């Protein structure tokens, strides 16, 4: 139900011309046509007929992937197929060996585009002995930015090369980037393992790889859910450990973990209700929420656990809220007012900060001042002595007297204090 991703249009102000341009680009090419992607090969002897065959086979495997549009890819630049076609035309001087090389586009162009372009039928690979002689002659009249050489002039060899293809259109599917990267990742592994593992390339598992302009953001989006889950789990664990030391009660520490978890859950609900995307911006706010939410819950919990009051859960709850509730509420109210100016910003990123920070504070106040006090009062949680309370008790008396500083002490206590004060200081020390 929650949308994923970070549209590029959200990175600019509302009145920027880039926003309309990006929306039009996304509505046409990304959602209807698809975006270009490059296939990269490196670290091999590209003159070897076996390597040429493996390159063609790798292209075939890519064209069969569900996220690659074979029909529109046929219109993209492919230096090797064009070079092979040119070399085959030099039949008077070149004997093209028949060694299983083929054009991977044959039979894969469908629809109306099938009548527009006819793939060249490859009858063999370029012979190794003549490969660079023919390639240098071919490049005299044809420029290509898909081939990287060891030097600008002959004699030279290919360091790496690439060919272009087209991805399928996303059609507005928010999960398309994640599904795309999962599929491409498996495809790259299969190509390297099945075809190039024995070539001795120094690049190992990255002898062949694919890259598109949208891969950087897509890979970040791909790992974001798992990274967010890991963070929330570790954050809750950290909250539990710290609260256990502060509250000296496992049950109270668990309740604080639940309070933080509820605030995070409410924020996810807010993402869905307000149609805020789950992306880097929103996750930053939710990470901040783990610290803000415990801040509005721990004051009541700590006070409750050190109070005796009338000995009942309701009495301790009322006393704890009397001592801390007003201050916590005012602190939350001023923080809410401080976020309001962000609501009028022209940047959608800043407005996202406003929505989630405002929601974090509001949900934390509701959980910390409404829900948690009721739960604490219903559960059997006897008062405990923290380090500070224990030190104060040793000086002034039992914990129930600490709740009422103005209460008169018993006569015995007065006699003891009087006797103690009548002793010389050196004797008392």
């Amino acid at each position: 139900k929650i949308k994923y991703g970070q549209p590029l249009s959200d990175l600019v102000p509302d009145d920027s011309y880039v926003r309309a341009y990006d929306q039009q680009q996304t509505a046409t090419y990304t959602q209807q046509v698809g975006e270009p992607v490059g296939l990269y090969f490196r670290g091999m002897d590209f003159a070897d007929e076996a390597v040429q065959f493996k390159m063609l086979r790798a292209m075939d495997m890519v064209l069969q992937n569900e996220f690659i549009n074979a029909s529109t890819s046929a219109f993209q630049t492919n230096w090797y197929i064009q070079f092979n076609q040119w070399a085959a035309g030099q039949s008077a001087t070149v004997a093209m060996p028949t060694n299983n090389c083929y054009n991977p586009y044959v039979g894969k162009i469908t629809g109306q585009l099938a009548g527009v372009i006819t793939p060249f039928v490859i009858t063999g690979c370029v012979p190794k002995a003549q490969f660079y002689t023919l390639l240098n002659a071919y490049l005299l009249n044809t420029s290509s930015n898909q081939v990287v050489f060891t030097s600008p002039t002959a004699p030279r060899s290919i360091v790496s090369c690439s060919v272009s293809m087209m991805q399928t259109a996303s059609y507005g599917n928010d999960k398309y980037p994640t599904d795309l990267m999962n599929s491409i990742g498996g495809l790259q592994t299969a190509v390297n393992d099945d075809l190039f593992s024995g070539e001795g390339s120094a690049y190992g598992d990255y002898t062949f790889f694919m890259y598109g302009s949208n891969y950087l953001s897509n890979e970040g989006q791909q790992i974001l859910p798992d990274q967010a889950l890991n963070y929330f789990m570790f954050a809750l664990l950290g909250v539990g450990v710290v609260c256990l030391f502060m509250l000296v009660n496992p049950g109270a520490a668990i309740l604080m973990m639940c309070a933080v978890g509820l605030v995070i859950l409410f924020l996810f609900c807010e993402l869905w209700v307000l149609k805020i995307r789950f992306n880097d911006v929103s996750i930053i706010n939710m990470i901040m929420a783990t610290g803000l939410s415990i801040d509005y819950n721990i004051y009541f919990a700590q006070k409750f656990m050190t109070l005796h009051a009338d000995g009942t859960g309701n009495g301790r709850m009322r006393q704890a809220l009397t001592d801390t509730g007003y201050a916590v509420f005012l602190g939350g109210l001023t923080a809410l007012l401080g976020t309001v100016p962000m609501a009028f910003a022209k940047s959608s990123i800043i407005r996202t900060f406003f929505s989630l920070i405002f929601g974090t504070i509001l949900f934390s106040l509701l959980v910390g001042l409404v829900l948690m006090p009721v739960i604490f009062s219903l559960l059997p949680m006897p008062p405990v002595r923290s380090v500070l309370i224990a030190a104060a008790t040793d000086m002034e008396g039992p914990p129930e007297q600490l709740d009422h500083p103005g209460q008169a002490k018993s006569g015995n206590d007065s006699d003891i204090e009087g006797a103690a004060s009548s002793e010389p200081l050196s004797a008392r020390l």
Side-chain angles (χ1 to χ4, degrees):
K1 296 294 184 178
I2 299 176
K3 291 187 175 183
Y4 283 69
Q6 178 68 64
L8 294 178
S9 56
D10 286 351
L11 302 178
V12 297
D14 295 340
D15 54 357
S16 173
Y17 75 93
V18 178
R19 178 178 290 270
Y21 172 81
D22 177 72
Q23 291 173 347
Q24 187 66 25
Q25 184 84 356
T26 301
T28 53
Y29 289 98
T30 304
Q31 296 186 6
Q32 299 180 28
V33 180
E35 296 188 9
V37 60
L39 283 63
Y40 294 84
F41 306 85
R42 53 185 182 170
M44 298 179 291
D45 182 7
F46 294 95
D48 189 346
E49 293 93 339
V51 172
Q52 296 177 48
F53 167 75
K54 291 179 179 180
M55 288 175 56
L56 293 171
R57 176 61 183 149
M59 297 178 202
D60 194 353
M61 293 175 67
V62 173
L63 289 172
Q64 295 180 47
N65 184 271
E66 61 178 321
F67 290 94
I68 299 298
N69 190 326
S71 298
T72 55
S73 295
F75 291 86
Q76 302 303 304
T77 304
N78 190 310
W79 76 271
Y80 177 77
I81 292 179
Q82 293 172 348
F83 168 54
N84 188 291
Q85 182 179 8
W86 179 87
Q90 312 300 310
S91 57
T93 58
V94 180
M96 298 289 285
T98 303
N99 48 12
N100 298 325
C101 287
Y102 65 100
N103 191 334
Y105 287 96
V106 174
K108 293 186 176 65
I109 303 177
T110 60
Q112 296 181 351
L113 295 179
V116 178
I117 185 173
T118 301
F120 164 71
V121 178
I122 292 179
T123 57
C125 293
V126 180
K128 182 175 182 179
Q130 298 173 280
F131 184 87
Y132 282 109
T133 301
L134 291 170
L135 182 59
N136 289 327
Y138 169 72
L139 293 176
L140 288 176
N141 299 316
T142 303
S143 61
S144 175
N145 61 355
Q146 294 184 327
V147 182
V148 178
F149 290 97
T150 54
S151 64
T153 57
R156 58 186 179 176
S157 59
I158 297 177
V159 176
S160 63
C161 63
S162 65
V163 297
S164 298
M165 292 188 181
M166 293 292 291
Q167 297 172 174
T168 56
S170 65
Y171 299 108
N173 181 8
D174 288 329
K175 293 186 177 180
Y176 175 89
T178 300
D179 295 338
L180 167 68
M181 298 313 300
N182 288 333
S183 180
I184 294 301
L187 176 61
Q188 290 179 157
T189 301
V191 169
N192 283 294
D193 291 345
D194 297 346
L195 300 177
F196 300 121
S197 59
E199 294 301 324
S201 171
Y203 298 100
D205 293 338
Y206 293 95
T207 299
F208 164 82
F209 68 94
M210 298 173 63
Y211 178 76
S213 60
N214 58 342
Y215 279 19
L216 286 177
S217 59
N218 287 355
E219 286 192 346
Q221 183 175 333
Q222 178 189 17
I223 66 173
L224 191 59
D226 291 338
Q227 292 291 323
L229 178 61
N230 289 337
Y231 172 79
F232 290 138
M233 295 301 293
F234 281 113
L236 290 177
L237 181 61
V239 167
V241 171
V242 173
C243 289
L244 182 60
F245 281 101
M246 294 182 64
L247 304 177
V248 203
N249 185 295
I254 292 175
L255 284 178
M256 290 296 96
M257 295 172 64
C258 293
V260 174
L262 278 174
V263 173
I264 299 299
L265 177 61
F266 292 155
L267 287 177
F268 273 106
C269 295
E270 183 182 3
L271 293 181
W272 173 59
V273 172
L274 300 183
K275 293 180 171 42
I276 300 174
R277 289 181 175 269
F278 181 76
N279 51 36
D280 296 334
V281 176
S282 58
I283 197 63
I284 288 174
N285 284 269
M286 300 180 82
I287 288 173
M288 296 170 57
T290 58
L292 290 173
S293 58
I294 191 62
D295 193 35
Y296 292 99
N297 285 270
I298 193 64
Y299 291 110
F300 164 81
Q302 189 176 32
K303 190 66 176 178
F304 181 90
M305 296 305 298
T306 57
L307 281 175
H308 184 272
D310 60 1
T312 65
N314 285 335
R316 294 168 63 197
M317 176 192 69
R318 287 193 296 268
Q319 185 65 42
L321 284 177
T322 301
D323 293 347
T324 64
Y326 184 69
V328 172
F329 176 77
L330 285 183
L333 181 61
T334 55
L336 287 174
L337 294 176
T339 64
V340 170
M342 291 192 294
F344 303 98
K346 292 184 177 181
S347 170
S348 61
I349 292 180
I350 297 179
R351 292 198 299 271
T352 299
F353 265 86
F354 160 74
S355 300
L356 293 179
I357 293 297
F358 191 94
T360 297
I361 299 171
L362 181 61
F363 298 144
S364 298
L365 287 174
L366 291 175
V367 172
L369 298 181
V370 178
L371 180 61
M372 284 298 126
V374 175
I375 295 178
F376 268 78
S377 67
L378 295 176
L379 297 179
M381 290 188 182
V384 296
R385 292 185 177 185
S386 66
V387 175
L388 294 178
I389 294 298
T393 304
D394 292 339
M395 295 176 59
E396 298 185 20
E400 58 269 18
Q401 292 181 350
L402 298 179
D403 300 337
H404 307 281
Q407 181 180 344
K409 299 179 181 179
S410 64
N412 293 335
D413 292 338
S414 301
D415 294 340
I416 293 173
E417 288 186 1
S421 61
S422 64
E423 294 181 3
L425 180 60
S426 58
R428 280 186 282 158
L429 294 176

